[in-house]
Amino acid sequence: MTSWQDLVAAEPEFAERVRARFTVAKHCTMATLRSDGSPRISGTEVEFGDGGLFLGSMPGAVKALDLRRDSRLALHSPTVEPPEGNPSSWPGEAKIAGRAHEVSNPDREDPSHRFRIDITEAVITHLDEAAERLVIESWHPGRGLERRTRD
């Protein structure tokens, strides 16, 4: 699997922009899968450190139970509106898809959950300089960084 540090090593400037989008505010959104396969959206916080991307949750939280059962997830950065009068200066938003691996220490007094995220995709969407087209930059292990535009 691909760690956050692998993305940083492969595309440092892109990784820094992804990290900046996720740390612009405290609360992100995460999608997990319920036991019946339907999606669940939850608020979460992410942490970049120790060469990895991590998230946590309170003990017994349903999102943690979802991840224990099926490790697939999608993260969405906090959303910031494009500046009025200057939409091309909008830094955009970021998304990360991957798998969560629990790294909680069962011997700790704090029974909260902690997960390390392995990355299968990282995406930034923003506007072009004329603020006329959507720019989609995506990175995948083995494929590298790609850039597309959409009207």
Side-chain angles (χ1 to χ4, degrees):
M1 292 307 262
T2 303
S3 71
W4 174 253
Q5 195 56 41
D6 294 330
L7 172 54
V8 170
E11 293 290 341
E13 187 272 336
F14 177 75
E16 177 53 31
R17 289 189 293 128
V18 170
R19 188 199 61 74
R21 298 304 357 120
F22 271 95
T23 57
V24 70
K26 188 174 186 176
H27 296 104
C28 303
T29 306
M30 176 174 64
T32 58
L33 295 171
R34 300 171 191 254
S35 60
D36 67 1
S38 63
R40 181 188 318 272
I41 298 292
S42 304
T44 195
E45 298 172 18
V46 298
E47 175 191 336
F48 294 86
D50 297 328
L53 170 59
F54 298 89
L55 61 88
S57 73
M58 296 187 310
V62 292
K63 63 185 173 187
L65 302 178
D66 286 348
L67 292 173
R68 281 181 165 177
R69 186 182 54 263
D70 186 327
S71 66
R72 294 176 293 172
L73 61 76
L75 295 167
H76 193 287
S77 67
T79 300
V80 176
E81 294 295 321
E84 206 172 303
N86 188 12
S88 65
S89 69
W90 177 55
E93 53 193 29
K95 301 157 194 88
I96 294 174
R99 293 190 174 265
H101 302 280
E102 191 160 15
V103 294
S104 303
N105 181 347
D107 297 327
R108 283 184 29 209
E109 191 173 305
D110 174 11
S112 62
H113 303 280
R114 182 170 166 85
F115 296 89
R116 184 191 77 246
I117 308 305
D118 285 330
I119 300 169
T120 57
E121 176 184 57
V123 177
I124 295 177
T125 56
H126 58 92
L127 298 174
D128 67 3
E129 288 183 30
E132 295 173 350
R133 302 183 84 191
L134 183 68
V135 178
I136 303 120
E137 297 176 87
S138 61
W139 180 86
H140 300 85
R143 282 195 352 228
L145 187 60
E146 300 170 334
R147 179 183 167 108
R148 301 181 318 276
T149 58
R150 211 169 64 196
D151 291 329

